[in-house]
Amino acid sequence: MKIAMTTLSSKILSQDKEHFAQLAVDAVMRLKGSTNLEAIQIIKKPGGSLKDSFLDEGFILDKKIGLGQPKRIENAKILVANTAMDTDKVKIYGARVRVDSMSKVAEIEGAEKEKMREKVKKILGHGINCFVNRQLIYNFPEELFADAGILAIEHADFDGIERLALVTGGEIASTFDNPESVKLGHCKLIEEIMIGEDKLIHFSGVEMGQACTIVLRGASHHVLDEAERSLHDALCVLSQTVNDTRVLLGGGWPEMVMAKEVDELARKTPGKKSHAIEAFSRALVAIPTIIADNAGLDSADLVAKLRAEHHKEGCNAGIDVISGS
């Protein structure tokens, strides 16, 4: 908590640093020692104040659920796909089809519909109850999914879909001919939640147990972007700290310890060399001096006190810029 608060104290989040330090610590503790920050997703939602930000387990996808589809699914089997679910390719390549009667047009449309129905059948053959697609899903396939009681989510953009596949333990599929080779994603519950004025989809109980989502709230996009950067800093520092817990005292402590040793060496060294060694010791003491100056404190007084402290055994004093002592 202290490390997180130190990281956040110079940034925009400093006024609510306890709150955000807690969020960052909870998120990193869920990773159980892995440094893969991909599992922590950050969603930014304008509105509310920074204090309204919260951490949610699982994964939140910034999308709405399609019309007439189940709003809640338990024990979900998810097929994550990147495939075109609008009508056939004829339209895309600007091909022309000339026909001599309206009935022929209807035939072409019927054939297109059949192709789509076949594709949806193949997808249903995977035994899924949630279909997430990177691209558009047209009204007709959406109807078919709704009839089958399957939740279909369209336009789950790249960052969302890749992360979703990672977190639920599935793979992104683009062909559906052999269901046995497709790896489906799993999670315990999918439901629609409200954050501010927006509806989002929440996947909880995902395969990757450490996955979580931090939802940031704030007055404007600028505040949110800055908050995300600050929080990311804290997450990086924390995930490294969990792996290697050694710490150094700050506030000019390490420099003073070194300066004291270097000084002693200078006193034992004969000749002109000792001047050079002393100069290095003075250079080290410059660090606590600068820290004090930057905080608008009396550096000469403070550094002299600090040096006196350091002549005691096992001293761990540094400059505290907040109390000025």
Side-chain angles (χ1 to χ4, degrees):
M1 278 297 287
K2 283 181 179 163
I3 289 177
M5 273 153 69
T6 307
T7 315
L8 295 170
S9 60
S10 59
K11 314 224 169 57
I12 193 169
L13 299 177
S14 56
Q15 62 268 28
D16 303 317
K17 65 181 172 192
E18 282 90 2
H19 180 62
F20 283 101
Q22 191 62 58
L23 285 186
V25 171
D26 289 350
V28 171
M29 293 315 273
R30 292 184 66 97
L31 292 178
K32 300 189 182 62
S34 104
T35 46
N36 181 11
L37 293 180
E38 281 283 292
I40 302 175
Q41 185 202 15
I42 299 180
I43 283 187
K44 297 177 285 194
K45 281 279 163 217
S49 69
L50 282 168
K51 274 200 180 63
D52 301 335
S53 308
F54 62 92
L55 175 84
D56 210 329
E57 67 95 31
F59 182 87
I60 297 179
L61 193 61
D62 195 350
K63 288 287 153 219
K64 294 185 179 63
I65 288 179
L67 291 173
Q69 293 175 352
K71 296 281 184 221
R72 179 190 164 96
I73 286 183
E74 289 181 15
N75 291 333
K77 294 189 191 65
I78 308 161
L79 177 62
V80 186
N82 182 5
T83 179
M85 295 299 286
D86 41 14
T87 37
D88 206 46
K89 294 245 186 340
V90 171
K91 290 184 179 160
I92 300 171
Y93 294 128
R96 281 187 179 179
V97 183
R98 296 200 171 187
V99 288
D100 45 17
S101 69
M102 274 315 281
S103 59
K104 290 270 169 53
V105 176
E107 264 174 47
I108 292 173
E109 283 183 354
E112 280 192 349
K113 256 188 166 173
E114 257 332 289
K115 277 189 93 159
M116 200 70 246
R117 186 176 274 126
E118 278 305 303
K119 189 167 191 177
V120 173
K121 258 197 197 131
K122 277 184 193 167
I123 290 170
L124 298 185
H126 290 62
I128 54 167
N129 49 15
C130 171
F131 175 70
V132 183
N133 192 20
R134 157 123 209 295
Q135 302 177 31
L136 257 177
I137 300 180
Y138 252 47
N139 303 3
F140 177 60
E142 196 167 54
E143 266 173 50
L144 297 180
F145 284 127
D147 292 345
I150 281 184
L151 169 61
I153 303 165
E154 62 176 6
H155 259 280
D157 46 354
F158 237 19
D159 189 26
I161 195 167
E162 294 202 331
R163 234 186 219 147
L164 183 64
L166 172 85
V167 166
T168 55
E171 281 172 3
I172 300 177
S174 46
T175 55
F176 309 104
D177 290 328
N178 32 1
E180 61 285 342
S181 65
V182 173
K183 207 169 155 201
L184 297 181
H186 295 279
C187 78
K188 292 200 177 90
L189 176 67
I190 300 179
E191 58 189 339
E192 195 170 57
I193 56 170
M194 290 281 294
I195 296 179
E197 291 155 21
D198 298 345
K199 288 181 175 170
L200 297 96
I201 306 169
H202 183 218
F203 298 78
S204 54
V206 291
E207 288 270 308
M208 195 172 175
Q210 59 260 52
C212 58
T213 300
I214 297 176
V215 180
L216 289 178
R217 308 298 309 275
S220 67
H221 285 291
H222 289 293
V223 174
L224 286 174
D225 289 344
E226 189 49 50
E228 180 187 26
R229 284 191 284 275
S230 313
L231 196 60
H232 185 259
D233 286 353
L235 291 174
C236 292
V237 172
L238 287 173
S239 64
Q240 295 301 326
T241 310
V242 172
N243 272 357
D244 185 354
T245 52
R246 294 174 297 175
V247 288
L248 269 181
L249 300 170
W253 174 82
E255 288 81 14
M256 288 308 276
V257 175
M258 291 191 282
K260 180 183 159 190
E261 293 293 324
V262 174
D263 248 352
E264 278 175 16
L265 179 67
R267 296 217 175 88
K268 291 177 198 155
T269 310
K272 285 186 176 173
K273 265 191 191 166
S274 67
H275 290 294
I277 299 175
E278 237 169 38
F280 182 59
S281 147
R282 279 202 301 279
L284 285 167
V285 178
I287 302 275
T289 316
I290 292 168
I291 291 176
D293 283 341
N294 282 348
L297 304 168
D298 179 356
S299 60
D301 180 47
L302 270 179
V303 174
K305 281 183 183 164
L306 188 59
R307 178 178 280 143
E309 276 292 315
H310 271 270
H311 275 282
K312 298 174 188 167
E313 264 317 294
C315 162
N316 55 7
I319 291 180
D320 181 356
V321 289
I322 293 164
S323 66
S325 59

